[in-house]
Amino acid sequence: MGAKIKKGDLVQVITGATQARGGDRGKQGKVLKVFTETNRVLVEGINRVTKHTKAGQTSRGTKTGGIEIVEAPIHISNVAIVDPETKKPTRVGFREETVEKDGVTKTVRVRFAKASGKAL
């Protein structure tokens, strides 16, 4: 079985606090990484947390550490793929398509948006 959400997909947060209440619901971003063992995804600009790193020095003598803002993983069930046609969240399906290349016909499994039927 293929994965429904992959690295590079445009997804939208469908649960959690609204943006008016300081949350991320309704925001869209690109998937940076998929953690299959914990069913989480890292989305660009979503679930940003402040991380305090211990002060130190590099070999050149420059100071490191301080407060930095990084993205934290979000559960895969809380995001949905964005339909390329309508720009709204949609479910993902799989279908078999026949592709002809150099006179050879192959059947390929393709992900598609259930709302519009367009291939992802």
Side-chain angles (χ1 to χ4, degrees):
M1 172 87 184
K4 291 193 174 186
I5 295 178
K6 294 183 177 180
K7 180 181 172 182
D9 283 344
L10 184 67
V11 294
Q12 182 171 328
V13 180
I14 55 174
T15 59
T18 58
Q19 292 178 44
R21 291 177 173 244
D24 288 332
R25 191 197 312 166
K27 286 186 182 175
Q28 294 183 357
K30 209 161 96 175
V31 175
L32 301 174
K33 190 170 182 180
V34 179
F35 302 98
T36 51
E37 56 282 341
T38 55
N39 288 328
R40 291 181 171 269
V41 287
L42 194 66
V43 185
E44 188 175 46
I46 305 294
N47 198 19
R48 294 170 66 86
V49 293
T50 54
K51 190 175 180 183
H52 298 262
T53 53
K54 191 174 177 183
Q57 277 187 333
T58 62
S59 58
R60 291 188 179 148
T62 56
K63 297 273 189 217
T64 59
I67 300 171
E68 52 186 32
I69 298 171
V70 293
E71 285 110 356
I74 186 171
H75 200 270
I76 208 161
S77 66
N78 296 336
V79 295
I81 287 193
V82 174
D83 194 319
E85 213 168 79
T86 62
K87 303 289 185 243
K88 289 185 176 178
T90 181
R91 293 175 310 174
V92 178
F94 291 92
R95 65 175 172 225
E96 305 252 327
E97 289 184 359
T98 54
V99 178
E100 190 174 327
K101 187 177 179 185
D102 301 327
V104 179
T105 308
K106 283 174 88 173
T107 55
V108 183
R109 223 160 147 246
V110 177
R111 291 185 309 155
F112 72 98
K114 289 220 175 172
S116 66
K118 208 162 188 184
L120 296 170

